[in-house]
Amino acid sequence: MKLSKNRLLNMYELMLDARNFDLKVNQLVKRGMVPGMTHLSVGEEAANIGALAALNPDDIITSNHRGHAQVIGKGIDLNGMMAEIMGKATGTCKGKGGSMHIADLENGNLGANGIVGGGHGIAVGAAYTQKVKNTGKIVVCFFGDGATNEGSFHEALNLASVWKVPVIFYSINNGYGISTSINKVMNIEHIYERAGSYGIPGYFIEDGNDVLAVYETFEKAVKYVREGKGPVLVESITYRWFGHSSSDPGKYRTKEEVDEWKKKDPNIKFKNYLIENKIATEEELEKMDEISKKKIEESVEFAKNSPEPTIESAYEDIFAD
Amino acid sequence: MSDKTKLMNVKEAIIAAMSEEMRRDENVFLMGEDVGIFGGDFGTSVGMLEEFGPERIRDTPISESAISGTAIGAAMTGLRPIVDVTFMDFIVYMMDNIVNQAAKTRYMFGGKGQVPVTFRCAAGSGVGSAAQHSQSLESWFCHIPGLKVVAPGTPADVKGLLKASIRDNNPVIFLEYKAQYNMKGEVPLDPDFIIPLGKGEIKKEGSDITIVTYGRMLERVMKAAEEVEKDGISVEVVDPRTLIPLDKELILNSVKKTGRVILVNDAHKTNGFIGEISAMISESDAFDFLDSPIVRLAAEDVPVPYNHTLETALLPNVEKIKNTIYKVMNKQ
């Protein structure tokens, strides 16, 4: 693993964007400017951006309900994304999808999914297309820990393994499916061990808050899958700072536990690495943060000034021609 | 378009439709349980493995979630899968992928992307397979915006509509009736023979009463309609062929012409699709033309029993259809 200065700073920029975007969305939720449910990925920036950094730009992902960092990492237009979350006509999905259904097909994002486990089969199918058409592209299927108890997870891993399609199943394990600790609903210690049932490699990223550790493991996984050897399962351990969604009282975890994880802030960890290794100065990184915050502010302004969708538009886009 | 036809059964019409589309478009492929060397659980892909090879006639594990999800993902990225669901009852295992993914993807994404996938389902009773292998579940899918639902009743319609379904850029639920896989009829050989989705057909012209039916019941309705001719009753048989989108105009025009309507399907009566057709007529200007109440004739609201006598007794048959016609015509 030898990443250029530009690559490292680009990863940091995406982590900042993901963090600042979700912190802003959290404020907007509190102000009543975001309808419905949003699931923030603050705390999970390294687990997301480190994985995406190991992909080629034209590789494909399926995302899940906690997918903001994934779509940002895949290069979505932030204005369109913020407008979508605020339900505006200029949103990525014309205000019809919202936070849980952000898709960015042009950038290889086949969409977030409001159904836990909903992306598993879709990822296998997308990978099958790449294999049949010999595109050289691979697919990463993002999901949480809870999704690995869905039948669709097991069926998808089984089919992908026998068809040897190029897909990385990636479980970002933040410890909880809403309020339920994964350890209470799984009789093995680690999710990645489930790979053994399907005869495929399982990779474990113990510190999913270390973006370079995530990148390093993903580099191996990507190499394996791109060589046509079939799918792999990757698990990273991380934590979400906020509740499951905007309506989570958070009774299932202690303040001490949350504070402990906040000390392991992935963005600060990476920032320190960049300073210590003289990739950038603290001032330069602070400046990047300011620029990122400004971009997010601009996206909010764009969204606020965007029109509501017309009633007529609700009747459009049901069927393709 | 050439007007050459050949006598084929439904099975052969299905194989012809899929094979022609696979020759025409390399993105089309068939996947499902036992589609390969076995030739399909109902023989609906016999010979296709030999022509197209195992890459395009894809056997799968018994794994409906993975089959349906994979088909949808493949469809979203440029392929055009045909899924052999086998017994329609097993589609229940695919419901999340069909209802929450395939039907909604394009809409949720603001008109981006498309999901061109055809789910072929062996529907209906009549072969003694009992309650878990005999259902016609079309009304579930008609309820979900974003899905097209097709239920043909003749070999020619099967071919023309299956080809249209494969070419359609949306998810299509395609019903085949397992009791009718061997039903024969003249089928056009032209590889460009297509019946557009949403276009019904008057299967028999008449002036006294309209019977709207589709799928498996068409054969019985036609027979009943012919038999009551002797009693001087002229029945118009309207077959929408596609339930979503529905050829409402064809149905309403016939109702306006005859003023009497019987609706027949082989699915259970309660919440069956003919109830929707009834409501559609009632809400339209055709209502003013009605001379008698709209009557439904459907399978009884009980699970399909195994015993042949019981299984048969619960479905509309020619006698029941004729009696209903006499009743509506006040000729009992």
Side-chain angles (χ1 to χ4, degrees):
Chain A
M1 181 188 73
K2 183 76 185 111
L3 286 163
S4 69
K5 179 181 170 178
N6 275 350
R7 291 282 304 281
L8 290 167
L9 290 179
N10 177 246
M11 284 162 73
Y12 187 60
E13 183 190 356
L14 292 170
M15 287 170 74
L16 288 171
D17 286 351
R19 170 70 54 94
N20 291 326
F21 189 92
D22 267 1
L23 289 176
K24 179 53 70 179
V25 169
N26 191 43
Q27 281 179 8
L28 297 172
V29 169
K30 285 180 179 157
R31 286 186 214 151
M33 291 167 74
V34 174
M37 286 184 289
T38 46
H39 306 83
L40 306 176
S41 47
V42 176
E44 302 181 2
E45 292 85 355
N48 285 298
I49 303 301
L52 293 166
L55 301 181
N56 292 339
D58 62 351
D59 284 332
I60 294 165
I61 68 165
T62 61
S63 174
N64 73 343
H65 60 283
R66 198 176 306 287
H68 292 178
Q70 291 144 28
V71 281
I72 289 171
K74 205 74 179 74
I76 199 169
D77 166 57
L78 292 175
N79 287 355
M81 183 174 169
M82 189 62 88
E84 184 58 34
I85 287 172
M86 288 169 67
K88 297 303 184 80
T90 54
T92 321
C93 307
K94 303 183 190 168
K96 292 178 186 175
S99 164
M100 276 192 290
H101 305 297
I102 291 183
D104 187 15
L105 302 183
E106 298 82 0
N107 282 312
N109 174 4
L110 293 183
N113 210 307
I115 303 292
V116 170
H120 294 138
I122 293 172
V124 176
Y128 178 68
T129 302
Q130 308 320 311
K131 186 181 165 104
V132 167
K133 292 191 174 278
N134 208 11
T135 64
K137 296 182 204 174
I138 67 167
V139 179
V140 179
C141 176
F142 284 86
F143 48 90
D145 41 280
T148 65
N149 288 327
E150 288 285 0
S152 66
F153 170 82
H154 297 276
E155 291 198 24
L157 262 71
N158 182 60
L159 186 64
S161 68
V162 292
W163 284 12
K164 282 201 171 8
V165 295
V167 56
I168 297 176
F169 294 100
Y170 181 30
S171 177
I172 295 181
N173 180 354
N174 63 22
Y176 297 90
I178 306 189
S179 69
T180 305
S181 162
I182 184 69
N183 298 318
K184 288 184 186 165
V185 291
M186 179 176 76
N187 198 30
I188 52 174
E189 202 175 341
H190 298 295
I191 288 164
Y192 80 93
E193 293 169 26
R194 291 183 156 173
S197 303
Y198 306 101
I200 61 172
Y203 296 89
F204 184 52
I205 302 167
E206 196 169 1
D207 186 1
N209 283 6
D210 178 350
V211 71
L212 296 176
V214 175
Y215 176 85
E216 203 173 331
T217 301
F218 253 82
E219 218 183 11
K220 288 180 207 153
V222 167
K223 183 170 182 289
Y224 180 93
V225 169
R226 213 183 292 281
E227 279 171 0
K229 293 176 180 167
V232 301
L233 172 63
V234 182
E235 173 188 10
S236 67
I237 304 294
T238 183
Y239 201 79
R240 59 170 152 81
W241 288 13
F242 291 98
H244 163 71
S245 70
S246 21
S247 60
D248 178 355
K251 281 181 187 166
Y252 51 90
R253 41 184 213 185
T254 61
K255 188 174 178 302
E256 290 72 30
E257 182 182 301
V258 178
D259 288 343
E260 202 52 43
W261 275 95
K262 283 186 178 172
K263 284 183 201 152
K264 299 187 240 175
D265 185 329
N267 287 24
I268 289 179
K269 191 180 184 105
F270 192 37
K271 185 181 177 187
N272 290 339
Y273 171 90
L274 295 171
I275 295 167
E276 280 160 24
N277 288 276
K278 304 201 185 319
I279 309 290
T281 64
E282 180 154 18
E283 293 71 35
E284 284 168 336
L285 299 178
E286 292 294 336
K287 179 81 187 153
M288 281 176 75
D289 194 22
E290 278 169 36
I291 293 170
S292 167
K293 283 178 176 149
K294 195 159 169 286
K295 266 194 298 190
I296 305 299
E297 282 303 333
E298 283 166 8
S299 75
V300 175
E301 282 309 303
F302 172 82
K304 277 189 194 165
N305 295 326
S306 290
E308 286 280 296
T310 60
I311 299 292
E312 293 74 41
S313 74
Y315 298 90
E316 296 162 2
D317 304 323
I318 299 168
F319 289 110
D321 291 335
Chain B
M1 200 163 89
S2 120
D3 51 7
K4 269 195 190 159
T5 64
K6 188 184 165 190
L7 190 67
M8 282 186 203
N9 64 28
V10 168
K11 234 184 300 190
E12 292 162 337
I14 290 166
I15 294 170
M18 292 194 295
S19 300
E20 286 171 13
E21 292 309 300
M22 284 180 65
R23 284 174 211 130
R24 177 180 173 268
D25 181 352
E26 62 173 18
N27 291 320
V28 178
F29 73 105
L30 174 67
M31 63 185 286
E33 294 155 19
D34 311 307
V35 294
I37 194 157
F38 199 74
D41 288 345
F42 294 94
T44 50
S45 52
V46 168
M48 291 180 71
L49 177 69
E50 290 74 4
E51 179 177 353
F52 299 103
E55 295 295 317
R56 296 183 72 196
I57 305 296
R58 272 264 167 195
D59 274 327
T60 64
I62 303 170
S63 192
E64 281 81 7
S65 166
I67 294 166
S68 50
T70 298
I72 292 160
M76 286 172 73
T77 47
L79 297 177
R80 307 184 77 85
I82 307 164
V83 176
D84 186 343
V85 175
T86 77
F87 289 90
M88 188 169 201
D89 315 73
F90 307 163
I91 208 166
V92 175
Y93 264 137
M94 302 185 176
M95 284 306 254
D96 176 62
N97 280 318
I98 295 173
V99 174
N100 287 325
Q101 312 297 339
K104 296 178 172 60
T105 294
R106 184 177 171 82
Y107 189 80
M108 293 189 306
F109 297 172
K112 280 180 291 189
Q114 57 187 30
V115 190
V117 50
T118 304
F119 292 95
R120 289 182 35 235
C121 314
S125 61
V127 295
S129 6
Q132 295 174 335
H133 291 75
S134 299
Q135 296 168 91
S136 291
L137 299 172
E138 65 273 20
S139 66
W140 291 6
F141 299 97
C142 293
H143 186 67
I144 305 298
L147 300 175
K148 295 190 178 180
V149 182
V150 182
T154 70
D157 285 354
V158 164
K159 187 185 177 201
L161 286 163
L162 182 53
K163 286 164 69 74
S165 300
I166 296 167
R167 291 187 194 186
D168 199 274
N169 286 326
N170 299 283
V172 179
I173 308 296
F174 190 91
L175 277 79
E176 301 162 4
Y177 293 89
K178 59 181 85 74
Q180 289 182 333
Y181 274 126
N182 292 317
M183 179 175 73
K184 287 189 173 168
E186 288 295 325
V187 176
L189 292 173
D190 190 325
D192 287 322
F193 166 66
I194 294 279
I195 297 171
L197 303 189
K199 197 170 175 343
E201 188 175 61
I202 305 290
K203 294 292 187 190
K204 180 186 167 302
E205 297 223 12
S207 52
D208 296 328
I209 183 166
T210 296
I211 302 186
V212 183
T213 190
Y214 59 87
R216 185 182 175 197
M217 288 296 117
L218 176 65
E219 193 183 20
R220 296 180 186 194
V221 167
M222 289 297 280
K223 195 152 194 298
E226 277 157 32
E227 290 183 15
V228 298
E229 290 279 316
K230 293 175 210 129
D231 305 307
I233 303 173
S234 169
V235 179
E236 178 144 299
V237 180
V238 182
D239 178 7
R241 304 191 287 203
T242 307
L243 309 185
I244 306 288
L246 182 66
D247 194 341
K248 295 177 183 173
E249 208 185 323
L250 189 78
I251 296 169
L252 295 178
N253 286 342
S254 178
V255 172
K256 287 177 190 171
K257 184 166 100 177
T258 64
R260 294 184 180 85
V261 197
I262 299 172
L263 309 168
V264 188
N265 73 6
D266 83 321
H268 299 300
K269 189 167 188 178
T270 302
N271 278 6
F273 188 72
I274 52 174
E276 179 60 30
I277 297 179
S278 170
M280 188 269 295
I281 296 167
S282 298
E283 287 170 351
S284 76
D285 60 346
F287 180 77
D288 296 333
F289 293 76
L290 287 176
D291 297 322
S292 64
I294 302 168
V295 177
R296 285 180 296 163
L297 198 52
E300 302 293 336
D301 288 328
V302 298
V304 176
Y306 171 66
N307 173 279
H308 182 67
T309 308
L310 300 184
E311 181 189 34
T312 310
L314 298 171
L315 267 189
N317 59 22
V318 176
E319 275 315 298
K320 287 186 197 174
I321 297 165
K322 279 168 67 179
N323 289 338
T324 309
I325 295 170
Y326 295 139
K327 198 172 156 196
V328 174
M329 296 301 297
N330 293 318
K331 289 203 174 180
Q332 273 173 312

